[in-house]
Amino acid sequence: MSQNFWHWLKINFKVTSLLLFINVAIFLITYIFSAFLFAGNDSVSLSLLGAQILPGSQYPFSDFIFQPWRFITSSFLHGGLIHLLFNMWALNSLGFYLEKFYGGKKLFLIYIFTAITSAIASFVVAFIGLVQNNSMAEGVIASVGASGAIFGFVGVLLGNKYLKNKTY
C-alpha cells in the first residue's frame, strides 16, 4: 500500500503545489502569532518570523537588517489576506504553466533565485533612499511577499518569448 502511495506521489508531485502550501501555512502561522502572541501587531510577528528589515528601521528592528537568511524567508511571508490571495493566484497561474515546461527542480530554483535577487534589489533601493533622504523611519520598514519571485516567473516567460523566440 505504501509503495503505491510513493509511486503516485512521485508521478503527481508538483513543486507549485508545494510552494502554494508553504506560503499559506506560513501565513496561518504568522496570523496566529500576530493575533494571539502580539495582540494584532503584524510588524512584530513578521519581523520575528523572517521579514526583510530594510535600512532606515529604528532600534530594536535595526539589529535584524544584516541577517542574510531574511532575503529568502521574506518571500514566504505576506502582509495580509488580500496580499496572500493575489500572490497565490499569480503563483498558481504561472507556476503550473512553467513547471510543465521546465520541471519541478528548475522551477524551484527559479523561484528561490528570483526571490533572493528581488529581496536584494529591495534592500538596495531602500538603502539608496535612506542615503538620499538622510533620515530614519518611525518604527520598522519591512518587506514581505512572493511578488519578486512571481515577477521572476514573468521574466522567464518574456525572456524565452523574445530572446529565444520560443512560445509555450
Side-chain angles (χ1 to χ4, degrees), residues 49-93:
L49 289 172
Q52 180 185 1
I53 307 301
L54 298 175
S57 298
Q58 288 182 335
Y59 181 82
F61 299 106
S62 60
D63 289 346
F64 298 147
I65 290 175
F66 294 111
Q67 294 176 340
W69 54 271
R70 290 179 179 272
F71 288 131
I72 189 64
T73 56
S74 63
S75 67
F76 292 100
L77 294 168
H78 291 83
L81 183 61
I82 300 296
H83 184 206
L84 175 78
L85 290 175
F86 275 112
N87 275 342
M88 294 308 97
W89 170 73
L91 177 60
N92 187 49
S93 298

Side-chain angles (χ1 to χ4, degrees), residues 13-15 99 102-112:
F13 178 77
K14 301 290 182 208
V15 171
E99 190 169 0
Y102 288 103
K105 291 177 185 175
K106 284 185 182 177
L107 180 85
F108 186 76
L109 290 175
I110 291 168
Y111 185 90
I112 297 299

Side-chain angles (χ1 to χ4, degrees), residues 14-19 91 94-114 149 153 156:
K14 301 290 182 208
V15 171
T16 303
S17 298
L18 177 67
L19 292 172
L91 177 60
L94 297 172
F96 287 114
Y97 192 66
L98 284 172
E99 190 169 0
K100 184 168 37 169
F101 293 100
Y102 288 103
K105 291 177 185 175
K106 284 185 182 177
L107 180 85
F108 186 76
L109 290 175
I110 291 168
Y111 185 90
I112 297 299
F113 177 75
T114 56
F153 286 177
V156 167

